[in-house]
Amino acid sequence: MAEVVRGVIRVGLALGVCALPAAAQSMALPASDPVGIARGGAQVAFGYSLEAAATNPSLLASLKEKGGFYLAAGLETSSFQESLESDQKSRYSMDRNRAIGAFGFAARMASGWTLGLKVDEPYLRHGRLPDDAPSRYLGDGIDLSAKRMEVQAAWALNPNISVGLGVGVARLSYESSSVMRLNVPNDAALPGSGSNAVNGLVEQRVGQSGNKVVPSYSLGARWALNPRWTLGFAHQSGLKGAPNMKAGLRDSALGAYANDGLSAPPLGTSARVATLLAASLATPGQGNLELPSQTTFGVRHRLSPMVTWEADLRWTSGGLQAPSFASIQTPSGTVSTPWELPRGKSHLGVFVSAEVEMGKFWTLRGGLSLDQRSVQENVTEPLLGGARTAAFSVGLGHKMWGGELNLGYQYRQSEDQDTSRLNGVWSSAGYRSVGTRQRLEGMGHLMALGYKKTF
């Protein structure tokens, strides 16, 4: 048995070291509750933990108590920025904050059978670029979330081995926006032609939003090799559906220009812009919203009665696929965004956590997580991110009021990326890239406060 354990550790360390040089950010949250956040998501083999059962349903069978619940609420805040080399200005994203919540419940029905319920938020990404962002024509806003609820069951095959299953639904919400320029003919109510020449442009934001309820499931297994070592396995299904999208023009026109896309517009353009927009219609994009599945293998070691640590390897299969941007139907034809959000790619992540019991009432937790790149470097852009990053977590638990009050915090910093693909100009002849170099940066914070009680 000792040889098996040593072999597992050697494989885990080798894969983890390979992943370190290519660490990258994912829009997947490590957890929605403070304990899971403090562990940095590394808890797939962490027995005796109701919060860890949200990741691996088989851990319900390892709970010492007959039942329990936890309730948590928190905040996720993130931002990204663009810095254009030509003007040395940084543009920071807006719409940075989102509330998060989590709930878990477990009840032992028989000696080897336990039921549970979890509510969490596995994916979250949001932000909107300012009106003068260099990449606004390629998409300037995103708001993506997944809220999941699963009924869980775990069976103890023997005192050391258990399996688990979770079945439920997830509500996918998606919103995106982009900025376009529309040609404004002399008679804006009619199509542009040789006899109805284009005489100016108008810049307009168009957005879309929708949601979809889709099925969700999870699988898990736990094997306690001995009182100190435990192996865990979990699989969280991917989420896929076509949101019922509705589109519309957002805000008022952002500006009017001459045909070159740079100069001041001709006299009378404002009146013709109003006529053009009144005769135009926003059409939602097409395609599914796809969020990837996650498969995790973990090793937990109880180093001493006070200290427990765990290392996880997680494979994210496939990547995010978002619906196309909305378009605008004008009297002169359809105007579309010249670029669509790229499809993500499969990637590997390594997660490490440690938990220290400091006396009878206090527990200190910490975690580190690293993920490989989730978007190809040659199609990088600010809305989806996918740049290399590291995440650091810390948390504290205190037994009080007959239960435990927990606090968790995580800081995420993505690697800077340089690209010459995102900056462009839009004239009456259409959009074209100018190849100016710019830098993309991103960071985020995740925090939650929760209360757990067992009985």
Side-chain angles (χ1 to χ4, degrees):
M1 185 63 69
E3 289 298 324
V4 173
V5 172
R6 284 194 288 269
V8 168
I9 294 173
R10 282 195 291 268
V11 172
L13 290 176
L15 290 174
V17 170
C18 292
L20 291 179
Q25 169 137 359
S26 166
M27 65 183 63
L29 299 182
S32 303
D33 65 273
V35 174
I37 291 172
R39 293 172 179 162
Q43 55 180 0
V44 72
F46 217 107
Y48 314 122
S49 171
L50 178 57
E51 293 89 352
T55 304
N56 183 353
S58 70
L59 298 179
L60 290 170
S62 71
L63 299 179
K64 296 179 179 179
E65 301 83 5
K66 292 184 177 181
F69 74 91
Y70 66 84
L71 183 65
L75 180 70
E76 190 271 349
T77 178
S78 61
S79 68
F80 45 87
Q81 69 183 75
E82 296 182 333
S83 301
L84 197 60
E85 188 176 60
S86 59
D87 63 9
Q88 297 296 303
K89 289 179 62 178
S90 295
R91 282 88 170 176
Y92 298 88
S93 66
M94 304 170 285
D95 193 26
R96 300 180 178 182
N97 304 319
R98 289 292 182 275
I100 61 172
F103 173 77
F105 174 81
R108 183 170 295 127
M109 310 304 293
S111 62
W113 180 35
T114 305
L115 292 181
L117 175 70
K118 75 168 183 181
V119 178
D120 64 353
E121 300 184 37
Y123 291 96
L124 193 61
R125 182 75 178 178
H126 53 90
R128 203 188 89 177
L129 293 167
D131 293 344
D132 65 342
S135 66
R136 64 190 183 276
Y137 302 128
L138 309 182
D140 80 327
I142 189 172
D143 188 353
L144 181 156
S145 67
K147 302 181 186 297
R148 180 174 58 190
M149 180 177 68
E150 288 183 2
V151 176
Q152 300 174 301
W155 294 268
L157 305 182
N158 62 50
N160 297 326
I161 299 176
S162 62
V163 295
L165 170 68
V167 179
V169 296
R171 185 179 188 271
L172 307 182
S173 298
Y174 181 72
E175 181 175 348
S176 67
S177 63
S178 61
V179 174
M180 304 177 190
R181 286 189 172 182
L182 314 179
N183 289 346
V184 184
N186 285 319
D187 188 344
L190 298 176
S193 64
S195 58
N196 188 25
V198 173
N199 194 17
L201 300 98
V202 58
E203 187 165 302
Q204 175 68 47
R205 177 176 290 110
V206 60
Q208 60 182 356
S209 62
N211 57 74
K212 180 74 171 181
V213 176
V214 301
S216 170
Y217 72 88
S218 58
L219 305 170
R222 171 183 178 268
W223 179 22
L225 303 175
N226 56 50
R228 290 184 177 270
W229 292 93
T230 303
L231 303 182
F233 164 83
H235 175 77
Q236 305 280 345
S237 70
L239 305 173
K240 177 181 178 180
N244 182 21
M245 306 288 279
K246 296 182 180 180
L249 304 182
R250 303 291 172 85
D251 311 318
S252 55
L254 300 177
Y257 302 87
N259 285 356
D260 60 7
L262 301 171
S263 307
L267 292 176
T269 300
S270 297
R272 291 184 289 115
V273 163
T275 301
L276 176 68
L277 295 180
S280 300
L281 178 68
T283 303
Q286 303 296 317
N288 289 324
L289 175 61
E290 299 181 28
L291 299 175
S293 65
Q294 295 181 330
T295 303
T296 309
F297 172 77
V299 180
R300 180 200 67 91
H301 179 217
R302 191 167 182 82
L303 189 63
S304 73
M306 295 177 57
V307 181
T308 302
W309 65 270
E310 179 170 336
D312 289 0
L313 291 176
R314 180 173 301 161
W315 176 251
T316 300
S317 181
L320 170 76
Q321 176 64 55
S324 59
F325 287 111
S327 59
I328 301 178
Q329 306 289 334
T330 73
S332 299
T334 301
V335 181
S336 303
T337 302
W339 171 262
E340 297 297 342
L341 292 176
R343 186 182 182 93
K345 70 185 188 73
S346 301
H347 58 279
L348 181 69
V350 57
F351 303 77
V352 180
S353 69
E355 187 164 296
V356 182
E357 296 180 10
M358 305 173 64
K360 186 177 181 180
F361 297 100
W362 293 94
T363 303
L364 179 64
R365 303 179 179 95
L368 166 67
S369 61
L370 302 166
D371 267 320
Q372 291 182 324
R373 172 175 290 279
S374 58
V375 174
Q376 293 286 0
E377 189 171 5
N378 62 338
V379 292
T380 187
E381 49 76 49
L383 297 186
L384 293 186
R388 299 182 178 187
T389 196
F392 306 90
S393 304
V394 66
L396 194 65
H398 179 55
K399 290 181 172 61
M400 58 189 301
W401 303 329
E404 186 177 30
L405 187 67
N406 292 293
L407 176 67
Y409 168 79
Q410 184 181 77
Y411 171 74
R412 293 181 285 177
Q413 178 68 58
S414 64
E415 182 186 53
D416 297 348
Q417 299 180 96
D418 292 326
T419 178
S420 301
R421 188 183 55 80
L422 298 177
N423 188 34
V425 296
W426 198 322
S427 67
S428 60
Y431 173 85
R432 64 180 176 86
S433 175
V434 296
T436 305
R437 184 178 178 183
Q438 67 185 92
R439 172 159 292 186
L440 305 180
E441 302 172 62
M443 62 175 292
H445 305 270
L446 184 63
M447 61 200 78
L449 180 68
Y451 178 74
K452 178 177 69 174
K453 185 174 179 62
T454 56
F455 45 84

